[in-house]
Amino acid sequence: MRLDALLSRYGYCSRREAPGWIKRHSITFKGEPCSAPTDKVQAEGILLDGEPVEFPDGLYAALYKPAGYTCSHDDGEGDVIYDLLPFQWRHRNPAVSSVGRLDKETSGLLLITDDGKFIHRMTSPRHHVAKVYEAVTEEDIPAEAVELFASGTFMLNGEDRPCAPAVLEILEPRRARLTLTEGKYHQVRRMLAAVGAPVASLCRISIGSLHLDSLNLEPGEWMPIRPDAL
């Protein structure tokens, strides 16, 4: 592809900005310098200031989302998760998005990608990808909620279908682990509030086989992952 198209595809600059960007940076393809937007190049073999293109075959990363950040591309919503990621990721084409969302006050594991098929595979209820949350509640969690959530008949207000069976483990009177295979709007908070135990704090600790405690990430940090490892 053309050099300006490659720079735009991977978020370094727009095609309009490419001539100026090329002048300010050292670019080589298979060891030969590149100096024109029309130069023919490939992602494999190109070096931008001595560095290869990041994630040339698709971007897949795990982010430890801190509380207080929204999963939005709109800077008008305050702190957004994309502020925690490399600048050029926001300008890649296809666009980089989170795989599902965590609400602003929920922390924990979030996947980031530019692969639409991967997003569908990870979020569709038909694929039964388990997401595990740890919640601290404001009131004691009733023991009968374990059977209720597992029944597959539990209805949330405003929904026309019951929640899929979910596994609730009560770890302490006001602390629990909840495993879901779907992602209704604010589902964990709504489920626990419905049984009289509103959530005080919430963290997603795993998605599929990927566990936050094995990633050694601090809040706000990210790391690349292999999509076939989930």
Side-chain angles (χ1 to χ4, degrees):
M1 69 177 76
R2 286 169 48 125
L3 178 56
D4 57 357
L6 180 141
L7 294 173
S8 175
R9 160 71 180 87
Y10 295 108
Y12 293 93
C13 64
S14 69
R15 295 187 73 162
R16 179 179 296 179
E17 296 166 336
W21 198 96
I22 292 167
K23 289 180 181 179
R24 296 191 301 272
H25 296 266
S26 170
I27 306 172
T28 62
F29 177 57
K30 296 184 178 179
E32 296 297 321
C34 300
S35 59
T38 55
D39 286 348
K40 297 296 185 180
V41 297
Q42 296 175 339
E44 296 75 14
I46 197 167
L47 294 177
L48 306 172
D49 293 328
E51 298 293 332
V53 170
E54 284 191 306
F55 305 105
D57 300 318
L59 190 156
Y60 306 91
L63 170 69
Y64 188 162
K65 177 192 171 298
Y69 284 77
T70 59
C71 297
S72 171
H73 287 89
D74 183 0
D75 290 328
E77 296 193 22
D79 293 328
V80 298
I81 58 169
Y82 301 98
D83 296 334
L84 303 169
L85 303 171
F87 171 80
Q88 66 265 25
W89 289 16
R90 296 188 73 163
H91 303 281
R92 285 173 69 109
N93 182 20
V96 170
S97 299
S98 61
V99 179
R101 293 188 168 208
L102 293 176
D103 67 65
K104 183 175 182 179
E105 297 310 318
T106 298
S107 63
L109 183 58
L110 192 65
L111 304 183
I112 307 293
T113 188
D114 59 356
D115 182 346
K117 291 182 179 179
F118 178 72
I119 292 175
H120 177 74
R121 176 165 66 86
M122 297 302 297
T123 57
S124 172
R126 291 186 309 229
H127 291 96
H128 304 289
V129 178
K131 288 93 173 174
V132 183
Y133 300 79
E134 282 196 357
V136 175
T137 61
E138 297 176 4
E139 303 291 341
D140 291 359
I141 304 161
E144 56 268 27
V146 174
E147 183 176 350
L148 179 63
F149 289 175
S151 68
T153 62
F154 179 69
M155 293 285 294
L156 289 169
N157 287 338
E159 301 283 348
D160 56 7
R161 293 184 180 181
C163 295
V167 178
L168 176 66
E169 303 169 74
I170 300 176
L171 308 174
E172 298 173 6
R174 298 189 180 186
R175 187 169 71 90
R177 186 175 294 128
L178 184 60
T179 302
L180 306 179
T181 56
E182 59 184 351
K184 297 180 185 289
Y185 178 73
H186 288 183
Q187 184 170 351
V188 175
R189 294 180 183 275
R190 293 165 67 199
M191 290 176 73
L192 289 169
V195 295
V199 168
S201 65
L202 185 63
C203 180
R204 182 158 65 192
I205 61 171
S206 71
I207 300 174
S209 60
L210 196 64
H211 294 263
L212 193 60
D213 59 4
S214 66
L215 296 176
N216 296 317
L217 295 175
E218 295 294 328
E221 293 182 342
W222 65 271
M223 66 179 297
I225 60 170
R226 289 176 36 234
D228 58 357
L230 288 159

